[in-house]
Amino acid sequence: MKRIWRRLNEQRSSAAREPQEGERQDSPAHSSSTEQNAGKTKRHISTKEAIRRFRTHALDEKKHADVVRVGVHDALWSDMYHHALTASWTAFTFWAFVSYVVVNLLFAVLYALVPGEVTGPHPLSFLDLFFFSVQTLSTVGYGGMVPSGVAANVIVSFEVLLGMMVNALAAGAVFARIARPRARIIFSNKAVVSDENGVSALCIRIANCRRSLILSVDVEVALSRLIVTHDGHLERRFEPLTLVQAHVPVLRFAFVLAHVITETSPLHKCSLQELQAEEAEIIVTVTGTDEAMGQTVFARTAYAFDKVMHNHRFVDIIHTRASGGLAVDYSKFHDIEAHVRSEG
């Protein structure tokens, strides 16, 4: 990130060194315009500001909590279902418990406002009314406490209706969270650049960890670079990396994605030092259909160039057993080995 910051400041400083030799310096109008331009170009960006701008463009692997969306309000009530699905299990359970307690406390207060209309085997305390609300909301109704007045029966009617709706929505949210399609696709923790056959190729290994097949798999690989434009702005650019086989009809075990680094490849145009200076990374997205569920599944990952190993190849993980079947050794999935670079 500091390299990007230095390049941005150097570019702006070079623009401030004008006018060059041969240009007139004694004109007042020219002098004032030069000072104005220098004032505009000498604004240096701080490291903190550069990092902040970088994070707004970078791919975040797990969460987006460090991005503040200005001018867009979080529509909690109108988008509650999405919040229920995307919240962590800890947050989901906590807010479900808090909501459950608050609703029952509210109805217990309403029952307390009509004393004597909820009867029981003994004089009822506020805690008894709270548990009566719990029994009513869940439609259990053990029979130890019953509503005996008109007002209490009206409150019970509304609580039973609310309880049926809440139970249905809660059950649906829990089921949707559990049944949400997830791809058990793993990616190699390193990418390799192989040059065994005289052809340089970027390779990434993916594998299906489930017994069921993933059908009609589409893979997209892109080079992401953070560049400084001519007007001094940071910009995140994505350039597609064409794969030898971007569509896989059936992903049963493991598959190696390969991008041949030809003269037209974005990787051929840039050196490793330039890519590292531009905070470049390789982004991989996988889309397919799970055969067992019949639902579309997604998976993604990203590789910084410190995870790209040159003149390496992946270790073979599929072997033939003595009995004639196949054995897939996932313990060696991330293993790579060096090879001699081809001179052809």
Side-chain angles (χ1 to χ4, degrees), residues 187-216:
F187 299 86
S188 56
N189 55 17
K190 294 183 183 297
V192 300
V193 175
S194 176
D195 194 21
E196 287 185 278
N197 302 316
V199 178
S200 183
L202 172 72
C203 299
I204 299 168
R205 181 151 65 182
I206 63 175
N208 177 22
C209 294
R210 288 199 176 112
R211 291 182 179 272
S212 59
L213 305 179
I214 299 180
L215 308 176
S216 188

Side-chain angles (χ1 to χ4, degrees), residues 26-45:
D26 53 352
S27 174
H30 180 83
S31 177
S32 61
S33 63
T34 303
E35 291 177 358
Q36 292 177 358
N37 293 334
K40 292 180 180 179
T41 55
K42 284 185 179 179
R43 290 181 302 169
H44 283 197
I45 184 172

Side-chain angles (χ1 to χ4, degrees), residues 73-219:
H73 299 286
D74 190 7
L76 176 61
W77 296 107
S78 61
D79 207 8
M80 185 176 295
Y81 182 70
H82 180 267
H83 283 79
L85 291 183
T86 55
S88 64
W89 275 107
T90 303
F92 179 81
T93 305
F94 172 78
W95 286 112
F97 176 77
V98 170
S99 302
Y100 184 76
V101 172
V102 169
V103 168
N104 284 289
L105 284 174
L106 176 62
F107 278 99
V109 171
L110 295 178
Y111 293 128
L113 295 177
V114 288
E117 295 201 11
V118 179
T119 60
H122 55 79
L124 301 180
S125 64
F126 184 80
L127 185 60
D128 293 326
L129 295 176
F130 175 81
F131 287 122
F132 174 71
S133 175
V134 171
Q135 297 171 19
T136 305
L137 189 68
S138 61
T139 68
V140 174
Y142 292 113
M145 293 175 285
V146 294
S148 58
V150 177
N153 278 285
V154 171
I155 298 173
V156 165
S157 300
F158 280 104
E159 187 172 9
V160 169
L161 176 61
L162 178 64
M164 290 188 297
M165 296 174 59
V166 169
N167 291 334
L169 292 175
V174 172
F175 176 79
R177 289 178 62 91
I178 296 176
R180 184 169 50 181
R182 299 178 184 272
R184 288 292 309 279
I185 295 176
I186 57 175
F187 299 86
S188 56
N189 55 17
K190 294 183 183 297
V192 300
V193 175
S194 176
D195 194 21
E196 287 185 278
N197 302 316
V199 178
S200 183
L202 172 72
C203 299
I204 299 168
R205 181 151 65 182
I206 63 175
N208 177 22
C209 294
R210 288 199 176 112
R211 291 182 179 272
S212 59
L213 305 179
I214 299 180
L215 308 176
S216 188
V217 178
D218 290 312
V219 186

Side-chain angles (χ1 to χ4, degrees), residues 192-195 309-314 336-339:
V192 300
V193 175
S194 176
D195 194 21
M309 307 299 295
H310 288 260
N311 298 325
H312 280 73
R313 61 189 174 195
F314 290 108
I336 58 176
E337 58 184 5
H339 68 81

Side-chain angles (χ1 to χ4, degrees), residues 221-225 237-242 265-266 269-270 278:
V221 181
L223 175 65
S224 172
R225 296 189 297 153
R237 289 188 180 177
F238 299 90
E239 301 177 78
L241 301 179
T242 305
S265 172
K269 303 174 184 177
C270 303
E278 293 174 343

